[in-house]
Amino acid sequence: MVLVAMAAAAVAWEWSQDVPFQRKNLSAIGIVGGHAIALLFWWVGASGASVRARAIGTLVVLVAVALPVSLLRIRGVSGDLLPVFEPRWRRAGPVALANPSPPQASSSLVVPGEYPQFLGPDRNGIVPGPEPETDWKAHPPRELWRTPVGTGWSGFAVSAGRAVTHEQAGDEERLVCRDAATGAIQWTHAESGHYATTIAGEGPRATPTIAGGRVYALGSLGTLVCVDLATGGLAWHRSLRDEVGAGVPSWGFSGSPLVAGGRVIVSAGGSEGRSVVAFDAMTGARSWASGDEGNSYGSPLATVLDGVPQVVVFGGRSVAAHDATSGKLLWKQAWGVGQPLVAMPVVTGPDRLVVSAGYGVGAEMFVVRRAAGDTWTVRSEWVSKRMKAKFSNPVRLGGMVVGLDDGILAAIDLADGHALWKEGRYGHGQSLLCGGVLLVMAESGELVALRPDATGPHELARTRVFSGKTWNPVALAGDRLYLRNDTEAACLRIDRHPGR
């Protein structure tokens, strides 16, 4: 009983600390596991029980451990690093919406739209246009199609009636183009490669980018490809490992390619001035390589700060900006603690940028200004522990930043970073803002509509889309919402109101 009490006290103490959920969970698993082993040794060697009782007790423990191990397998972990189990003999099947519509044979019933890259037209998680319907009792999202997909954490890019994502199929990473209205496969393009770990999962993790009638995609092992959007025909491909000597990051290459100024820009993590690389969008020839920021998992962001166009990228422990044409390093700011930097920076003003990361890092606003000549100054405006975006992507809404703070929806004030509110555990999912409506794809597979303001999140509606862990980015093109996880994809029609 002493060991049990010690374990309970240690777990309670750890959970009382103001530390990330990931650390709490890992510590709790270690504490319980260690004390369980100590308890077993005590029972066998020092309990004073009879030999028969000790043998029976040990056998019971071994059977209790062996039975779940033989029946279940670990299929990755949650965003809080808890193991996700599934029966060894099957995979989770699809879940139907509460009020599904039959699959449509054409796109005549939907409003066409474009969503050509990760996080939308401006890579900021904001979709322009009318707000989506939020009275889901009277007007629920309607399922247009649903289909199995290969594993991976890629999202959809949508253009010209085509929806493209990146999937794992055996030992191949496949770009798969589907008819946006029906889900029918139009073409696939495969490259050899297979990234897989228990914690990170397997398959590609970056969302393709569509530009100029072409698709650009970065595989988890560093293969960058360009294919024709209409046919899937290969135009060119490059290996970041060969081009700049980049090693595969621990979680795989995860940054979605950025197409800007006729170039495809990727975060490569190569050493000696080659951490960010640009290729000619038409030919694939290398245009420039620059920076020594090291590996990161974020996607490059094209923006304008203090009147100067630039590409902002994360490094291993930094945030930096490069000129898109020449690759010249404009400015660099040390940031982070060596844990993964993933969430996209949020531009909050002409010269202001908010960055955020999980693992206890939090958020910080930088004021970025051009100084004399070609020099720049980067000044910290405030630091806040109230927005720790692990791999979800916060958005700006009026005078606040809204996002998942270690899996709980939260808002911080842009003026000084103080917490406005924090409530609603949606896990480590993804979100999009359209007008004043925030659509959250929760880690649990539920789709949630909210109308956040300074007083609270104001949840309006929710519906279940998937039964399993959902980390993939969301895409909203017209009135079609494209969703997927690592087993299946679905397209929902969600009404949008021009008057709102």
Side-chain angles (χ1 to χ4, degrees), residues 128-155:
E131 286 187 356
E133 172 66 59
T134 57
D135 183 355
W136 290 358
K137 290 184 178 180
H139 306 282
R142 284 152 286 178
E143 184 176 305
L144 298 181
W145 52 262
R146 180 182 292 267
T147 183
V149 295
T151 55
W153 305 119
S154 172

Side-chain angles (χ1 to χ4, degrees), residues 107-130:
S107 59
S108 60
L109 297 180
V110 295
V111 177
E114 300 279 304
Y115 195 94
Q117 63 176 333
F118 177 61
L119 294 184
D122 297 316
R123 287 202 170 195
N124 60 1
I126 298 175
V127 179

